[in-house]
Amino acid sequence: DGSVAITKEALASCSKENSLGAIIANLQNNPHETIANRKTASMLVQGWVKQVLVKRTDDFEGELEGGEIQRPQLERPAPETEETLRLMEIESEKRIHPAVPTVGGKDYVIKPVPRHQPVKRDKTASESNRGKISEVLKIMSRPNKRAWKPYAVSIAGRTVNAI
């Protein structure tokens, strides 16, 4: 299948100057390398990472240094039954629960829905006289540059003058 198996021990035995893992990792990211070689290098690096990150269950089976077995520190809660749920509800009813705040005990009046609805006006066509005039008025009502720049720097540059 074309896979190359190199163990973690073989990688560790390489010298720091000519580290096989670093060379393969550089090949994986080299843009001048062929796609097949880059894929193979990527598969090798992924395999090595899986070897390093795998958890060893045979080394640690819940035993501590003194030979004692690890025990859970939290107690498991008792299974819930109808009786325990009923007791929890009774305890909950005894507690004071938060209520919706009321301001000064006032009764607020809910006003009726208005009967009158706004009249929908037809939009004026932009080709008509009224439409053309409204477009010109929109342009004229925009603020000019003077409104956007209320201050100007003086010629000497030492003070700011109000316009």
Side-chain angles (χ1 to χ4, degrees):
D1 81 272
S3 65
V4 180
I6 299 175
T7 62
K8 183 169 59 171
E9 291 78 20
L11 285 173
S13 66
C14 293
S15 66
K16 290 287 184 185
E17 297 84 32
N18 298 328
S19 174
L20 182 62
I23 293 170
I24 299 294
N26 288 338
L27 282 177
Q28 171 188 349
N29 297 326
N30 191 346
H32 301 295
E33 198 59 51
T34 63
I35 294 175
N37 287 349
R38 287 169 60 184
K39 282 186 179 180
T40 305
S42 174
M43 289 172 50
L44 279 172
V45 170
Q46 290 298 321
W48 296 334
V49 168
K50 285 179 186 174
Q51 282 182 5
V52 170
L53 297 180
V54 70
K55 290 184 179 178
R56 299 274 180 171
T57 56
D58 54 348
D59 294 344
F60 179 75
E61 293 183 357
E63 292 187 10
L64 297 175
E65 295 172 4
E68 60 200 35
I69 298 175
Q70 245 185 341
R71 302 274 181 226
Q73 295 180 355
L74 297 176
E75 292 183 16
R76 183 174 296 218
E80 292 182 344
T81 61
E82 289 183 31
E83 182 65 25
T84 57
L85 289 174
R86 190 176 58 75
L87 290 174
M88 285 172 47
E89 283 184 19
I90 291 172
E91 288 176 19
S92 174
E93 289 172 0
K94 291 178 184 175
R95 290 193 302 265
I96 300 173
H97 291 284
V100 177
T102 55
V103 180
K106 292 185 179 179
D107 293 331
Y108 292 100
V109 179
I110 298 174
K111 296 183 179 179
V113 178
R115 293 178 302 172
H116 306 289
Q117 297 297 325
V119 178
K120 190 171 185 176
R121 305 280 181 195
D122 294 331
K123 293 193 175 193
T124 56
S126 59
E127 299 87 31
S128 67
N129 281 342
R130 183 172 287 215
K132 290 176 185 175
I133 290 173
S134 66
E135 291 297 321
V136 170
L137 287 174
K138 281 182 192 173
I139 293 170
M140 290 176 67
S141 66
R142 287 189 206 157
N144 57 12
K145 290 182 182 178
R146 187 174 204 112
W148 293 104
K149 298 169 99 178
Y151 297 101
V153 179
S154 68
I155 305 242
R158 290 188 220 116
T159 58
V160 176
N161 299 330
I163 295 177

